Amino acid sequence: PDDRCDVCGAQFYIKYAIMFPGNMWTAKCSYIRKLLPPNDNDGEYERRKEEAVKRFLMLDLWGVLAATLDTSNVEHFGLDRYAWEHWIASSPHIQPCEVHTTDVGPLILLGKDPQGREFGPEYYDWGMAPRRIKENLGGLRNPRLRLENNEERQFREYYYLPGNLLKWFTLYGSDGVPEQDSWVWRDFPAGQRWKELVGQYGEKAIDEMVKSSNPRFHSAFALNHTDTVESSVTMLFDEETTLSHSNPPVVVFYQISFPPDNKEKAIAAVKSQFDVLSMGQYDNATSTFDQHRKVLLYYTITGGSSQEIDFVAHLCKEKSDRIVCQQRGKYDAKGVYGEIFHQLHAFCNAKPSFNVIHITNRLPGYAHYKDMDNTFNVPKIQAITSAVTSKMCRPSEESCNVCGTEFYPL
């Protein structure tokens, strides 16, 4: 080590992990004292390493990040005994140097290079690392070729910058943010793009990347969005007259979504569901609709303009003889989904003797496949709404406490 270098080894790797093969090196104490203690009483280093891996696996599950360059295992993630091989280079502030220029890889442990030449001082060539960037990035051949000319994939590849940033931020928080002139921005693919994102959001850059990827990939609740227009988390029971009627209403909690790219189908689904609700509860025994009970409808709206909000209000007014509407929230962020459950839960706490029905104007499961035709499949949504609001789908104390069209145990 010198003024430019903190840690020196035979060779420095950035393929699948930042490390020195063989885990032998010379380092400055002034650098090492910045690292988390390798084995303190609380095992903080190992715990945070595991937390970083858990975060990645969740993001991988949702398709935000991917580890395509190489296999996913404890060695590559730096878990178990491999945590100590990753420890020396666990800070983004490392300034590494090395004495070998050839891509010797694991063969260095055998004492020979890929051409079978013995390693010795005559082959030393000290320099700042990393070197041989293309070879150093390594990985399986086909995934590497797919990544080469695809910046979006490079931006999301765990074994490039995303995985390292995830580890640095989890291990060191704000101290895990690389300097603006760090070698990591220069040597990793998509480095400039990540540099700009980290420069703007610091250790929250991964979270911001997740949010901008797709609203499915972050919290569905409005408290985690900054663009909530209004919400009503506290249930107001000004509907006591309706609720205390001798023939109590059918209580429905309704999550309405108006995605900007499919408003027409979303509107069609809403209209079909209002038609179902206004007809009354279907009685399978008599094959008729029971219109003696009104519907008390609590609803929230996600997305949509004033036009869509007015459309729902117009439906409420048009069918006011059958449906008593109460809007409980309007949210601009299209990722908000599930706020109505706050209202439903509050209602059941206050009115434990009631049954409640939950409906939505979209089929959430299809969003994973981006199949918008099925997400707002009006006949299917109408059929499900009819089923869950029918008299047959009625929980009982003896056998059933939740009823739906189908129940999937797996």
Side-chain angles (χ1 to χ4, degrees):
D2 61 9
D3 292 341
R4 293 176 293 165
C5 172
D6 298 318
V7 187
C8 181
Q11 190 174 40
F12 181 69
Y13 265 24
I14 59 172
K15 59 172 71 173
Y16 69 75
I18 296 178
M19 60 179 290
F20 291 91
N23 202 22
M24 289 183 269
W25 34 261
T26 302
K28 290 180 179 179
C29 284
S30 58
Y31 166 75
I32 287 181
R33 67 192 299 268
K34 299 176 184 177
L35 304 179
L36 280 173
N39 193 18
D40 60 10
N41 292 332
D42 296 328
E44 189 71 6
Y45 170 69
E46 289 183 284
R47 186 189 66 77
R48 294 189 189 184
K49 285 280 288 185
E50 291 173 0
E51 179 61 29
V53 173
K54 289 176 183 176
R55 288 191 65 194
F56 160 67
L57 292 175
M58 181 60 71
L59 296 176
D60 184 34
L61 177 68
W62 285 107
V64 180
L65 298 181
T68 63
L69 195 61
D70 218 320
T71 56
S72 298
N73 55 48
V74 293
E75 177 184 0
H76 293 171
F77 287 148
L79 301 176
D80 197 36
R81 78 161 183 84
Y82 299 102
W84 313 122
E85 297 184 10
H86 290 217
W87 176 70
I88 188 62
S90 65
S91 166
H93 306 299
I94 185 173
Q95 296 293 337
C97 53
E98 60 184 3
V99 296
H100 277 291
T101 57
T102 56
D103 185 27
V104 295
L107 293 174
I108 194 171
L109 303 177
L110 303 178
K112 296 182 179 181
D113 70 8
Q115 284 73 45
R117 296 175 300 185
E118 297 287 339
F119 292 125
E122 65 273 20
Y123 295 109
Y124 291 172
D125 182 12
W126 184 94
M128 294 298 294
R131 296 185 280 188
R132 312 161 311 282
I133 298 302
K134 185 173 181 179
E135 295 81 5
N136 202 328
L137 288 171
L140 303 173
R141 182 177 182 275
N142 288 337
R144 187 175 70 248
L145 293 176
R146 285 195 295 269
L147 286 166
E148 277 186 0
N149 298 312
N150 192 319
E151 184 180 327
E152 188 60 31
R153 286 187 176 183
Q154 294 171 359
F155 182 67
R156 298 177 184 278
E157 173 60 41
Y158 174 83
Y159 289 122
Y160 288 165
L161 263 179
N164 287 299
L165 290 170
L166 195 58
K167 286 182 278 190
W168 295 331
F169 298 160
T170 307
L171 287 171
Y172 298 105
S174 60
D175 290 334
V177 175
E179 290 89 352
Q180 283 292 297
D181 60 351
S182 173
W183 58 269
V184 304
W185 312 126
R186 178 190 70 240
D187 292 335
F188 276 108
Q192 184 59 36
R193 187 172 170 185
W194 273 111
K195 180 180 180 180
E196 293 172 2
L197 195 63
V198 173
Q200 186 173 0
Y201 296 101
E203 73 273 22
K204 301 296 184 183
I206 295 287
D207 298 329
E208 189 61 31
M209 176 261 204
V210 171
K211 289 180 182 180
S212 62
S213 297
N214 191 304
R216 292 192 300 112
F217 304 134
H218 58 113
S219 174
F221 294 99
L223 292 176
N224 296 285
H225 291 260
T226 57
D227 53 352
T228 298
V229 173
E230 69 172 282
S231 66
S232 174
V233 175
T234 304
M235 182 59 106
L236 303 175
F237 297 105
D238 53 355
E239 304 84 18
E240 285 296 334
T241 302
T242 304
L243 290 169
S244 60
H245 195 274
S246 58
N247 192 19
V250 178
V251 181
V252 178
F253 288 82
Y254 189 14
Q255 167 68 57
I256 302 174
S257 301
F258 291 114
D261 53 349
N262 219 323
K263 287 185 180 180
E264 288 186 9
K265 288 191 175 182
I267 288 171
V270 171
K271 187 178 185 305
S272 73
Q273 289 175 294
F274 265 86
D275 289 341
V276 170
L277 295 175
S278 64
M279 292 171 68
Q281 280 190 295
Y282 184 73
D283 189 335
N284 297 76
T286 62
S287 297
T288 61
F289 289 92
D290 180 2
Q291 296 190 337
H292 293 94
R293 298 175 66 189
K294 283 194 172 186
V295 173
L296 179 54
L297 181 67
Y298 297 104
Y299 68 93
T300 59
I301 296 177
T302 295
S305 63
S306 58
Q307 185 176 352
E308 285 75 45
I309 296 170
D310 291 343
F311 166 73
V312 176
H314 174 73
L315 286 176
C316 287
K317 184 176 180 180
E318 184 181 80
K319 302 179 184 296
S320 59
D321 60 324
R322 297 288 311 129
I323 303 173
V324 177
C325 292
Q326 293 289 334
Q327 181 178 319
R328 290 303 184 193
K330 164 66 181 76
Y331 311 97
D332 274 358
K334 64 179 181 179
V336 175
Y337 189 86
E339 284 295 325
I340 198 65
F341 291 122
H342 286 310
Q343 317 295 340
L344 184 151
H345 188 264
F347 179 93
C348 288
N349 276 334
K351 303 288 181 181
S353 64
F354 274 73
N355 290 336
V356 292
I357 297 170
H358 171 257
I359 62 173
T360 174
N361 71 320
R362 64 184 298 166
L363 301 174
Y366 289 101
H368 179 70
Y369 305 101
K370 298 182 179 178
D371 187 348
M372 300 306 288
D373 287 337
N374 276 309
T375 299
F376 294 100
N377 185 319
V378 173
K380 183 174 287 190
I381 290 171
Q382 189 172 32
I384 294 174
T385 304
S386 298
V388 300
T389 57
S390 70
K391 283 194 171 183
M392 178 175 283
C393 197
R394 185 163 53 190
S396 64
E397 292 296 333
E398 294 78 22
S399 58
C400 167
N401 51 22
V402 182
C403 177
T405 53
E406 296 177 284
F407 176 69
Y408 288 179
L410 296 175

